[in-house]
């Protein structure tokens, strides 16, 4: 236990993402004039965020307090924990700490973003990173990616413990079980506040060990016989990859890899020693024709049905090197993330139509979650025994359920804070409370633009997506207000113009009438004219079609 | 058994929807110069069908053969079976046959479409509608709407039997069980070909009886105590409504109804005697404030999280008459249709945040499917014993699984046809085969337009939705090719213009350069000029933003 010289007030815990939402996890721990940040994730756009690539947290609070920031502490290498890092580091270049694998995956990411001069530290569990009033310690956690950590931030007010994403896997593939003893020590030292993963808080029982998947895969490999086997899974689940490799080895099959992210991860994991595979077992996709079907396993991306993924390309006959054929066994070793059900179903239909057999986790034990269910969450609460509890990482329904679990094991309601992204929890020896908020929001990344797509642009995209647009151009003489050319009408995404000539003629006539009227009355206020055209066209088009295209009148003065 | 005078060839079975897809069910049975049509459904637009309201089958084959058509025979009143009817009848006005409830629901629909002079026939089970070479008979089926039918089309080649949507509910709410005896008689007469509902062909076991839901509801009503109860479910599931009403009565609660479709169905079902509710038990939404919470049950639409539904409006505080408050018990008595998971989750989060308790079918027995699972499907195959079998209503994966079930009970592979919408199955005493195809497709309905939105319009909408557009207008003198006004640039859905002045200035400069070059070379081919502007702007914008807005150059000649 560490003792600090002076009490510098309460500890602030500020989530900048991941509360009341899935993804873009980022938590600020602030004590005195020091800040440490846990994770810097991204989230994927909601359906209504048209054209957006990814979403990252608003970090304006950190920009304002950049001098306090000591570093970013990464729990594990999933996108919702490291995906926002390049954008963060472009604005605030501070040291990044994490496990060897996390740092390896971050290096790939920074290279893609051409980010150099970032201080990266691979840290082992129990190693402590000391600052003036804070001390940060990583603990081994088990999750669906190896080398995942929980984080303990030591202060003289007590410890802030963040589980990170976790499940309690008692038989993990790498044998590296969670450090329950150290957790108990921390508990004895005094955990002031715990943040814990709520993803599966609505699911009763316990999550199965990753090892279970090995058995399921083995059974399928036995049944596969002479067939070629294609396994789709999450690239980052290296333990899953290891199990596929192991069972492939057992059945004398070579392994080939398809999909950019899968190739990236396999390469990093192999180099760093997280994936154990003989060099002669792994073959290039170009070589697969030299092997018989029964000698092959192809590991691929696309377990979520992503339209551009390798598996989707195979299903659509758009993959350059792999053609699905009758008898192929396709194993989808993943569970659909909510929202992806239809995409996956589409891929499965196409694979079946091509004659493949498809096995998904509905019908075989070939996937387990990476997150703790209710029994594990309660166990974590029992082990850590925090004074205050903040359910983290999840939608409101999950956070609330997690809070209820804490009450079930005896925590009192006023010590549990179900909060939103941006809420500030201040905790100290003499109490804790939610005090104020910091700026937050979804920063939308579209191409090279970070934050330049806002509500107005999105609203226009939505409008355009539903009913298209109609542009009306007319050239008018400056002096006399006479129409010199036009009105010309161009429409896109509205109706098929060739079959709508009457409609277009009617629209032109409406514009001509408005122009004529204005000419007659010598009105030269173009704003007035434009609004008039807009209103009258809008009414006309709605009456004729019950649609509301965006109407863009343009007046050129000559 | 009926005996016809002459053999007029083989019977054609042609699905115009519902095969290899979910929804817009419509099946043509053609024999000699007579056609009967089973159902005329709609489907809801796929994600990529931007701005589309509904989708209906291509009926050009029927338009071409309209003189043969004897009528449309409706199995039941769900949208995917009757929703396309108004559009069909506007083109081909033929008699419509169905159960009393189906016809009642169709009447409401035709009124909304201002369709008059349609011949509607309410027909009882076992009643036969005779034509020259065909005879149509309805049989009672159990499904998630009362008064559902299977259809038997008698020909001298044997019977074509279409199950319609069904489950085998041995304890249906109305006591009206399927007519197994008549099915067996038909089987003895000889069923040439059966089409059977494949929706749940991937699910083992049997679907629970609707009656089970009653028990689940009763338990929740007991627990509810003093709380107000709000139940969301499918409007058309009148047996579900009946059970809610019954349990409300038992616990001394009044019933109020919210949501347009729910009001419609309750009114029709009450008028026709399908919903048994005392007049003094049903109260207007305006009166609910006169009752205590414990005296109320509100039945509402929105069980799929539909953004404009009554439940979603309650969750978003946009409902004019109902405000969710702490302690309200919201029961979602439905299962998410694939694709709706996130919508529902959003509604649940908002309800919970307002302090309501939410119970969904994950955590209580408050929903059962309306479709037969594997054991029921095999039972149907055993009872009907068709010579040929066409799995119907489902995606490929379901049709294929259903075909496998038929093989499992001993049917030979060559007697089973897994077909697509538009495939023609010809069946007769001396054999059956897939012979050719008829035109098919998705006819998109957008506002008043039926079929006027095609691939080009959709592609443009998609393009516009992702990156918006940039319009460039310039006025040029006819004789000299000199620029008289512009270039003016207007963009929507691309970038927030006020923060992108440099980008816009750069774009204008590019256009000016192209115009200058053309002026210099006296090029007056506007198509060439436009393409040049487009190409150069596209490259410039992509390089600067990694986005591809739609670029619309417009040249006005004066």
């Amino acid at each position: 236990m560490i003792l600090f010289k002076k009490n510098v007030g309460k500890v602030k815990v500020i989530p900048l993402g991941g509360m009341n939402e899935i993804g873009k996890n980022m938590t600020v721990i602030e004590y005195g004039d020091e800040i440490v940040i846990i994770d810097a994730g991204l989230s994927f756009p909601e359906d209504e965020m048209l054209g957006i690539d990814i979403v990252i947290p608003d970090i304006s609070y950190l920009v304002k307090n950049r001098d306090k920031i000591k570093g970013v502490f990464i729990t594990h290498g999933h996108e919702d924990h490291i995906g926002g890092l390049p954008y963060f580091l472009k604005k605030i270049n501070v040291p990044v700490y994490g496990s060897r694998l996390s740092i390896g995956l971050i290096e790939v990411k920074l290279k893609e973003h051409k980010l150099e001069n970032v201080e990266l530290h691979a840290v082992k569990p129990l190693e402590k990173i000391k600052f003036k009033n804070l001390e940060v310690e990583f603990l081994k956690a088990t999750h669906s990616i190896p080398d995942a950590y929980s984080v303990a931030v030591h202060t003289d007010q007590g410890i802030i413990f963040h589980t990170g994403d976790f499940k309690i896997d008692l038989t993990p593939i790498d044998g590296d079980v969670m450090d329950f003893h150290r957790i108990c020590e921390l508990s004895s030292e005094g955990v002031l506040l715990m943040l814990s993963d709520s993803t599966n808080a609505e699911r009763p029982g316990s999550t199965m060990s990753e090892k279970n998947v090995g058995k399921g895969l083995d059974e399928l490999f036995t049944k596969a016989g002479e067939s070629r086997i294609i396994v789709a899974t999450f690239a980052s689940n290296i333990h899953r990859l290891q199990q596929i490799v192991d069972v492939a080895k057992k059945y004398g099959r070579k392994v080939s890899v398809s999909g950019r992210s899968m190739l990236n991860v396999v390469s990093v994991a192999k180099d760093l020693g997280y994936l154990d595979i003989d060099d002669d077992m792994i073959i290039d996709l170009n070589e697969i024709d030299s092997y018989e079907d029964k000698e092959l396993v192809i590991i691929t991306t696309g377990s979520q049905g992503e339209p551009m993924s390798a598996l989707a390309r195979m299903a659509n006959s758009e993959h350059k090197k792999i053609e699905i054929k009758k008898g192929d066994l396709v194993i989808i070793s993943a569970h659909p993330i909510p929202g992806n059900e239809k995409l996956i179903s589409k891929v499965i239909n196409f694979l079946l139509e091509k004659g493949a057999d498809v096995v998904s986790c509905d019908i075989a034990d070939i996937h387990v979650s990476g997150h703790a269910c209710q029994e594990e969450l309660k166990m974590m609460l029992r082990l850590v025994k925090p004074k205050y509890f903040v359910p983290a990482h999840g939608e409101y329904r999950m956070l609330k359920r997690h809070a209820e679990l804490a009450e079930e094991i005896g925590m009192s309601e006023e010590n549990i804070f179900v909060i939103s992204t941006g809420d500030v929890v201040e905790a100290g020896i003499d109490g804790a409370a939610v005090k104020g908020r910091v700026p937050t929001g979804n920063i939308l990344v579209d191409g090279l633009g970070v934050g330049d797509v806002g509500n107005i642009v999105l609203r226009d995209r939505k409008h355009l997506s539903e009913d298209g647009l109609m542009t009306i151009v007319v050239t008018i003489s400056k002096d006399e207000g006479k129409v010199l050319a036009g009105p010309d009408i161009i429409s896109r995404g509205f109706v098929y113009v060739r079959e709508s000539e009457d409609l277009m003629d009617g629209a032109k006539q409406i514009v001509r009438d408005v122009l004529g009227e204005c000419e007659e009355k010598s009105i030269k206020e173009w704003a007035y004219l434009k609004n008039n055209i807009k209103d009258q066209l809008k009414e006309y088009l709605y009456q004729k079609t019950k649609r509301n295209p965006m109407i863009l009148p343009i007046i050129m003065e000559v």
Side-chain angles (χ1 to χ4, degrees), chain A:
Chain A
M1 187 171 172
I2 48 168
L3 284 168
F4 293 99
K5 301 296 171 294
K6 60 172 196 292
N7 176 335
V8 288
K10 295 205 172 183
V11 186
K12 289 185 191 171
V13 176
I14 314 168
L16 294 181
M19 291 289 187
N20 265 354
E21 63 179 337
I22 299 286
K24 66 179 169 71
N25 297 294
M26 189 174 210
T27 309
V28 175
I29 314 285
E30 181 173 351
Y31 188 50
D33 57 357
E34 290 178 319
I35 282 178
V36 294
I37 300 162
I38 300 175
D39 292 330
L42 61 73
S43 66
F44 294 102
E46 296 290 317
D47 290 345
E48 64 270 21
M49 299 175 183
L50 295 168
I52 297 305
D53 301 326
I54 62 165
V55 183
I56 55 175
D58 182 338
I59 54 165
S60 48
Y61 180 75
L62 293 173
V63 171
K64 226 176 87 188
N65 292 283
R66 65 192 310 154
D67 294 342
K68 294 185 178 180
I69 302 171
K70 298 297 153 194
V72 184
F73 296 79
I74 299 296
T75 58
H76 63 284
H78 280 154
E79 287 298 320
D80 54 338
H81 294 257
I82 65 169
L85 204 48
Y87 302 93
F88 174 85
L89 292 171
K90 277 175 201 166
K91 289 206 163 180
I92 306 174
N93 193 347
V94 292
V96 178
Y97 301 84
S99 68
R100 214 157 57 91
L101 180 62
S102 299
I103 295 296
L105 293 168
I106 289 167
E107 277 172 343
V108 175
K109 196 166 276 297
L110 298 187
K111 205 178 263 173
E112 283 171 357
H113 280 263
K114 300 196 176 68
L115 261 171
E116 290 163 10
N117 303 321
V118 177
E119 204 182 309
L120 298 176
H121 298 278
V123 183
K124 291 203 183 111
L126 308 184
E127 256 183 58
K128 284 176 185 155
I129 304 108
K130 293 189 187 188
F131 304 105
K132 199 175 55 184
N133 298 312
L134 295 170
E135 202 174 84
V136 183
E137 173 186 359
F138 282 119
L139 284 89
K140 170 83 196 151
T142 38
H143 185 43
S144 46
I145 185 169
D147 237 12
Y149 286 165
S150 300
V151 183
V153 181
H154 298 261
T155 79
D156 61 358
Q157 300 292 307
I159 295 162
I160 308 296
F161 186 74
H162 196 315
T163 64
D165 284 358
F166 81 102
K167 65 193 269 189
I168 298 182
D169 192 336
L170 300 171
T171 54
I173 299 302
D174 56 9
D176 234 358
V177 79
M178 287 177 73
D179 192 343
F180 302 116
H181 298 87
R182 180 63 188 146
I183 290 175
C184 290
E185 279 173 25
L186 292 179
S187 175
S188 306
E189 288 178 26
V191 173
L192 178 66
L193 183 146
M194 174 166 86
L195 298 116
S196 178
D197 176 11
S198 310
T199 311
N200 277 353
E202 294 181 297
R203 295 200 206 165
S206 296
T207 298
M208 289 284 112
S209 169
E210 176 66 26
K211 210 155 241 175
N212 273 47
V213 175
K215 290 179 209 150
L217 288 172
D218 195 301
E219 277 172 32
L220 288 176
F221 273 61
T222 315
K223 281 191 208 153
E226 311 277 293
S227 294
R228 183 165 66 168
I229 299 176
I230 297 166
V231 190
T233 190
F234 297 108
S236 60
N237 197 333
I238 296 160
H239 289 324
R240 186 72 47 87
L241 303 184
Q242 184 67 59
Q243 297 199 89
I244 298 165
V245 166
D246 290 347
V247 72
K249 190 173 180 180
K250 177 175 167 191
Y251 290 89
R253 290 175 184 255
K254 303 283 181 192
V255 170
S256 197
V257 176
S258 182
R260 198 177 61 94
S261 62
M262 192 63 84
L263 284 160
N264 273 346
V265 169
V266 166
S267 152
V268 171
K270 209 167 158 289
D271 288 351
L272 297 180
Y274 290 91
L275 185 65
D276 179 19
I277 179 167
D278 304 341
D279 280 333
D280 68 340
M281 240 193 90
I282 195 156
I283 59 170
D284 193 275
L285 269 190
N286 291 313
E287 300 173 46
I288 57 173
D289 289 340
S290 327
Y291 294 87
E292 286 185 58
D293 288 348
K294 65 175 179 185
E295 296 173 323
L296 282 173
V297 176
I298 295 160
I299 303 179
T300 177
T301 53
S303 64
Q304 295 299 310
E306 306 93 321
M308 302 304 291
S309 66
L311 187 66
R313 284 184 279 126
M314 292 178 211
N316 296 322
S317 304
E318 286 165 2
H319 197 288
K320 280 182 192 146
K321 291 169 187 168
I322 303 168
E323 203 172 332
I324 297 291
K325 55 190 178 190
K326 197 168 160 55
D328 280 346
L329 172 63
V330 180
I331 300 173
I332 300 178
S333 178
H335 197 268
I337 294 168
N340 294 342
E341 293 83 355
K342 280 171 93 171
L343 288 175
I344 300 166
S345 207
K346 215 175 209 174
V347 168
I348 292 177
N349 279 318
F350 284 133
L351 292 170
L352 289 170
E353 282 186 57
K354 289 195 157 35
D357 285 324
V358 181
V359 179
S360 64
C361 65
D362 303 336
I363 36 179
D365 292 335
I366 47 172
H367 180 66
V368 294
S369 170
H371 299 275
C373 288
Q374 292 176 353
E375 291 309 307
E376 295 155 272
L377 294 174
K378 284 186 283 185
M379 174 60 107
M380 186 58 96
L381 282 157
R382 288 280 188 206
L383 290 175
V384 176
K385 288 198 281 182
K387 183 154 185 205
Y388 302 106
F389 174 47
V390 177
H393 299 177
E395 297 174 18
Y396 183 80
R397 54 193 291 182
M398 303 158 194
L399 303 182
K400 182 165 179 280
R401 191 72 193 91
H402 203 174
E404 286 165 7
L405 292 175
E407 285 186 58
E408 283 170 30
I409 66 147
M411 279 194 79
S412 84
E413 202 184 331
E414 58 264 34
N415 285 6
I416 303 168
F417 301 98
V418 175
I419 59 172
S420 291
T421 294
D423 283 339
V424 180
V425 177
E426 290 191 9
I429 289 166
D430 53 350
V434 179
K435 293 227 170 142
R437 286 182 55 75
V438 305
T440 56
N442 289 320
I443 305 299
L444 309 182
V445 179
D446 182 7
L448 294 181
V450 178
D452 67 338
V453 170
N455 286 337
I456 295 174
V457 172
L458 283 184
R459 198 189 55 203
D460 285 347
R461 284 184 185 173
K462 180 150 175 61
H463 188 171
L464 290 165
S465 78
E466 284 173 355
D467 286 316
L469 90 149
M470 183 178 263
T471 305
I472 301 95
V473 191
V474 57
T475 303
I476 297 185
S477 69
K478 213 175 291 186
D479 338 313
E480 299 161 312
K482 275 210 185 286
V483 174
L484 300 177
D488 282 7
I489 290 187
I490 289 161
S491 95
R492 289 286 186 281
F494 169 46
V495 288
Y496 191 50
V497 180
R498 279 197 205 159
E499 290 173 3
S500 313
E501 277 172 21
D502 290 354
L503 186 73
M504 292 302 166
D505 288 346
K508 265 190 195 171
Q509 193 51 51
I510 297 228
V511 179
R512 275 194 212 104
D513 291 349
V514 176
L515 288 169
E517 206 186 325
C518 286
E519 210 171 334
E520 218 167 83
K521 296 183 189 162
S522 302
I523 294 168
K524 285 197 216 167
E525 284 167 47
W526 300 151
Y528 172 82
L529 183 57
K530 280 191 207 173
N531 276 336
N532 228 325
I533 290 174
K534 226 182 206 172
D535 291 346
Q536 299 215 21
L537 263 189
K538 187 180 159 153
E539 198 187 314
Y540 168 77
L541 294 175
Y542 187 75
Q543 185 218 320
K544 288 283 181 190
T545 65
K546 290 270 185 293
R547 299 183 201 167
N548 265 321
M550 183 182 280
I551 297 171
L552 285 182
I554 305 174
I555 293 173
M556 304 289 285
E557 263 190 342
V558 171

